[in-house]
Amino acid sequence: MKIILNPKYRNEEKAIIQLVTSFFEEGNLIVKGSRNTIKSNYLGNEKVNIKFFKKPGIFKSIIYSFFRSTKAKRSFDYANYLIDHDILTPEPIAYIEERSSFGLLGDSFYICQQIDYDFTIRELIHNPLFENRNVILEQFTEFTFKMHQAQVNFLDHSPGNTLIVAKGTNQYEFYLIDLNRMKFEELSIEKRMDNFKKMWLSRTMIKVVAKKYAELIQQPNDKIHAILLEKTLQFKRRITKKKYLKLKLKK
């Protein structure tokens, strides 16, 4: 078993290993997927999240063991990168990898702080009358712009992967989660707008986001709006087509 700790938690190694050892018997279930499971539990008095990555198949096990960072390691490393660039994410605590005697990856875990959030972007998408909707969208756009300026291309930038915490009158904090799919690169305007496509923004929301992003990047609003609209529509058409084809194949 390999364990890498955030230096702040170097005295908690035994307790962290115990959390992982008892993962399937203890804690509160948050997400149960076919390959990944997330639970919350307590590390001392601190509430934490534990994400379990199931042992990959033999081919992926070889890839993750010798050629590519594991999902657990990427989650930990990417969280530290974000924090170093003043981008909020639940603080990383540790990651753990179990390996065979041949060095092949088995199960792995990522542990981070629990964020008690108020809502996600998903609620805004489904409720046009959501309180302070445009204010939140503008601040979310500022958050995404800051991420882009830090050369972060978050490939899973989707409605459920940013937690939002209300901090007072018209003030909100945004926390990125589910971090293991990122690229770090200079982002063109095309790539920046493409990064919004999975948000499934309505035309009304696109106008708000485009206007704010245009101000931040100092580009014409019409230009940013046109690119963002096209990227969003392309993505929606592709997803709709996939769903249609699946339905046809089932008949």
Side-chain angles (χ1 to χ4, degrees):
M1 180 182 287
K2 172 185 176 182
I3 178 168
I4 300 297
L5 295 168
N6 180 330
K8 294 180 183 178
Y9 293 86
R10 60 180 176 271
N11 296 325
E12 303 287 346
E13 181 171 348
K14 288 184 179 179
I16 290 169
I17 291 174
Q18 179 58 35
L19 283 178
V20 168
T21 303
S22 62
F23 177 81
F24 296 103
E25 291 77 37
E26 298 179 3
N28 296 313
L29 183 65
I30 298 174
V31 175
K32 174 65 175 177
S34 58
R35 300 206 60 81
N36 304 331
T37 302
I38 304 175
K39 283 187 170 184
S40 65
N41 208 329
Y42 283 90
L43 180 62
N45 295 322
E46 183 177 14
K47 197 171 185 180
V48 300
N49 274 6
I50 309 160
K51 187 169 186 178
F52 164 69
F53 300 97
K54 188 177 178 180
K55 178 182 177 180
I58 185 64
F59 176 74
K60 285 190 176 180
S61 183
I62 292 170
I63 296 296
Y64 287 138
S65 299
F66 304 111
F67 302 104
R68 189 182 182 194
S69 295
T70 66
K71 291 181 180 181
K73 183 179 188 303
R74 275 181 276 150
S75 297
F76 184 85
D77 290 345
Y78 294 172
N80 281 307
Y81 181 93
L82 293 176
I83 290 170
D84 287 345
H85 289 80
D86 296 321
I87 299 166
L88 294 177
T89 191
E91 185 164 22
I93 293 172
Y95 75 90
I96 294 174
E97 298 172 352
E98 296 176 352
R99 293 180 180 263
S100 72
S101 56
F102 300 103
L104 292 178
L105 178 68
D107 295 339
S108 55
F109 299 84
Y110 172 61
I111 302 99
C112 66
Q113 288 182 336
Q114 166 83 14
I115 297 296
D116 292 324
Y117 65 97
D118 295 299
F119 52 92
T120 69
I121 295 295
R122 184 177 287 112
E123 286 87 330
L124 275 72
I125 292 171
H126 295 302
N127 182 7
L129 300 179
F130 196 94
E131 186 178 0
N132 284 340
R133 191 184 199 219
N134 286 357
V135 171
I136 296 165
L137 279 175
E138 288 177 352
Q139 292 184 24
F140 172 73
T141 303
E142 291 175 345
F143 173 76
T144 302
F145 176 76
K146 184 177 182 180
M147 186 174 73
H148 291 164
Q149 292 296 94
Q151 301 184 352
V152 176
N153 186 354
F154 183 30
L155 302 179
D156 282 330
H157 203 32
S158 56
N161 283 344
T162 300
L163 309 181
I164 304 174
V165 179
K167 297 299 289 184
T169 305
N170 295 335
Q171 291 296 322
Y172 301 89
E173 288 183 343
F174 303 84
Y175 291 79
L176 285 188
I177 61 169
D178 201 3
L179 306 180
N180 64 76
R181 295 185 66 242
M182 288 185 179
K183 286 185 179 179
F184 300 94
E185 58 186 353
E186 287 284 351
L187 292 161
S188 65
I189 291 175
E190 290 276 339
K191 282 189 175 181
R192 288 169 183 243
M193 295 303 100
D194 189 69
N195 197 217
F196 282 102
K197 67 186 179 186
K198 292 183 180 179
M199 285 295 163
W200 211 264
L201 301 172
S202 67
R203 288 178 181 267
T204 300
M205 297 174 81
I206 287 170
K207 287 181 181 178
V208 175
V209 170
K211 181 180 179 182
K212 188 62 182 181
Y213 206 101
E215 292 174 3
L216 294 166
I217 202 169
Q218 298 182 351
Q219 291 284 333
N221 181 34
D222 290 349
K223 175 183 176 181
I224 299 299
H225 181 269
I227 298 172
L228 178 56
L229 178 62
E230 182 56 27
K231 295 292 185 182
T232 301
L233 292 178
Q234 283 178 356
F235 178 74
K236 288 182 177 181
R237 284 194 292 263
R238 187 164 68 250
I239 297 300
T240 302
K241 184 177 180 180
K242 283 184 179 179
K243 289 180 179 179
Y244 173 77
L245 291 173
K246 283 183 179 180
L247 286 174
K248 293 289 285 185
L249 290 171
K250 287 181 179 179
K251 292 181 179 179

